[in-house]
Amino acid sequence: MCGTRAPYQAAVFRIGLAVAIAAFLLREWPNRRVLYGDRSPLSHDMALELGRLDGSFSVLYWTDGRAWFEIVYTLTIASALAVLVGWRTRTTSVLLMVGMVSLESRNSLVGDGGDNVLRIMVIYLVFTRCAQVWSLDARRRNRRGSSPTDRTGVVLWSATGLFLLVAFGMETGWPLVLWTLWGAQGLWYAVGRRFPGSEGRAVLDAAAAMLHNAAMLTIAVQVCLIYATSGWYKVQGTRWQDGSALYYALNLEYFAPWPTLSALLASHTLAVLLLSYGTVMVQVTFPVTLANRRIKNVLLVVMILEHAGIAVLLGIPFFSLAMIACDAVFLPTAFLTAFGARCARLPRPVLPGGATTVRAVRA
């Protein structure tokens, strides 16, 4: 049977993506109504027309009331936090996907590259088995066994089914996708509960593993496409060809959260030249280096450092967080398992009476 590949990489991807989304939504909390809510310059009627033209989906199309918007925004943050710790990930990842797609589609005119990456990757996340390790779901499975009575899961499944029925009925498009995910989850639980050792359960498990592997491969291909297209577009630009592109970026007020630091780097011509050429070379060659593990690991470290530099110097932290989370799918399994083992050995705070505040989540 087909086995689940890269469970640790999927877990890091889940954690990183959830952190990026939660941080982004919390940062924009004071501006949420202007960006996506009832105070947005893009009125509700205009958003409906734009959604009709491009075929986008958003639960915020239903009404322009503030109460519904606040529910969707808050639930999206809660879903991101639940995905972060791996609690009921099969349900909360779908809720996170619906929330992010709805917010981005409500006002797509204010988005940038980081928003596009988050919206695409959160869809892929739904089809991965990203909670097999380093999650509350994994700890619950280890404690209860392979076929426990999951009352909380049944309640969540029933509540989401009722919501789908009331909200969408039996419409096609996105509602059909959500109904399919809901039905697959119900079938998975029923077969696992009634026939835990049957051939049907083995077939479902193999299908889920193949879907996970395909999703992880798609994420990797998507990351390679992002880097390759970005690099080749830079090659065509005259500023990147003469090595001065970074200099002009550092002198843009919009991309200068630390003006003194930006001016200091911009004043060093050689550093600007090397960083500009190095960025293009790394992005263009990264997909090719995947065939060589050692070179790939070196370039992976360089890419992560590059995104960290972009976050600090150019003030684009959420795009950088999203790309670092995507880069995590290429991290070596040996490094991740060693890192997880080291984290598990960290001392835990002890409360008066000898009770620990945190318990290690066993993979």
Side-chain angles (χ1 to χ4, degrees):
M1 285 292 183
C2 179
T4 301
R5 305 294 182 181
Y8 292 95
Q9 287 83 351
V12 176
F13 175 70
R14 181 199 85 230
I15 294 170
L17 197 64
V19 168
I21 293 175
F24 169 71
L25 295 180
L26 289 173
R27 200 282 298 270
E28 298 298 348
W29 180 269
N31 308 311
R32 65 192 185 283
R33 295 175 63 190
V34 176
L35 290 175
Y36 309 113
D38 54 305
R39 293 182 179 176
S40 173
L42 187 69
S43 67
H44 185 254
D45 293 336
M46 294 175 62
L48 286 176
E49 181 63 19
L50 187 61
R52 185 187 65 82
L53 292 176
D54 60 18
S56 61
F57 165 82
S58 175
V59 295
L60 295 176
Y61 290 158
W62 297 347
T63 176
D64 60 347
R66 178 182 177 182
W68 175 238
F69 166 74
E70 298 287 5
I71 291 173
V72 172
Y73 198 93
T74 305
L75 185 59
T76 305
I77 295 176
S79 300
L81 297 177
V83 170
L84 171 62
V85 298
W87 183 80
R88 305 290 172 178
T89 316
R90 291 173 185 161
T91 300
T92 53
S93 62
V94 176
L95 294 177
L96 181 60
M97 176 189 69
V98 172
M100 276 302 297
V101 171
S102 296
L103 291 172
E104 296 289 345
S105 300
R106 173 59 180 83
N107 189 2
S108 58
L109 302 180
V110 299
D112 57 15
D115 296 293
N116 291 333
V117 171
L118 290 176
R119 178 167 50 185
I120 293 172
M121 294 303 174
V122 78
I123 295 175
Y124 296 154
L125 179 69
V126 172
F127 299 98
T128 64
R129 306 178 79 176
C130 57
Q132 285 202 326
V133 297
W134 298 345
S135 67
L136 296 180
D137 289 345
R139 183 171 67 174
R140 186 179 65 254
R141 285 193 300 269
N142 292 337
R143 285 181 174 179
R144 296 185 179 180
S146 59
S147 58
T149 301
D150 189 0
R151 296 179 180 177
T152 304
V154 172
V155 171
L156 283 174
W157 183 80
S158 303
T160 52
L162 180 61
F163 173 78
L164 288 174
L165 183 62
V166 173
F168 301 111
M170 293 299 175
E171 299 179 12
T172 57
W174 271 93
L176 180 59
V177 174
L178 298 178
W179 274 118
T180 302
L181 294 173
W182 180 83
Q185 176 62 21
L187 178 63
W188 176 276
Y189 175 79
V191 174
R193 177 63 180 161
R194 299 294 182 182
F195 313 101
S198 65
E199 184 177 352
R201 174 54 190 264
V203 170
L204 289 177
D205 191 65
M210 287 189 291
L211 188 61
H212 163 90
N213 296 338
M216 293 297 293
L217 178 61
T218 303
I219 293 170
V221 171
Q222 183 75 59
V223 174
C224 290
L225 288 175
I226 291 174
Y227 285 140
T229 54
S230 177
W232 284 110
Y233 270 111
K234 287 182 174 67
V235 169
Q236 302 174 42
T238 56
R239 299 304 181 191
W240 289 100
Q241 292 174 8
D242 60 27
S244 62
L246 182 59
Y247 171 82
Y248 290 101
L250 291 172
N251 283 278
L252 291 175
E253 183 179 355
Y254 183 78
F255 294 108
W258 313 100
T260 303
L261 183 60
S262 298
L264 179 63
L265 180 58
S267 64
H268 291 76
T269 306
L270 182 60
V272 170
L273 182 67
L274 293 177
L275 288 173
S276 297
Y277 283 150
T279 298
V280 176
M281 293 176 61
V282 169
Q283 290 182 346
V284 171
T285 58
F286 179 76
V288 182
T289 61
L290 295 179
N292 188 298
R293 183 177 60 183
R294 293 183 178 179
I295 299 178
K296 181 263 296 182
N297 291 338
V298 172
L299 285 187
L300 190 59
V301 173
V302 173
M303 297 298 296
I304 293 175
L305 292 176
E306 177 189 342
H307 289 304
I310 290 174
V312 175
L313 291 174
L314 301 182
I316 316 176
F318 304 112
F319 168 74
S320 299
L321 277 174
M323 290 308 303
I324 290 174
C326 296
D327 291 340
V329 301
F330 300 105
L331 290 173
T333 301
F335 166 76
L336 294 176
T337 53
F339 177 77
R342 176 166 296 185
C343 291
R345 290 195 299 267
L346 291 176
R348 291 170 286 176
V350 180
L351 296 175
T356 57
T357 58
V358 180
R359 294 184 180 274
V361 178
R362 296 182 180 271

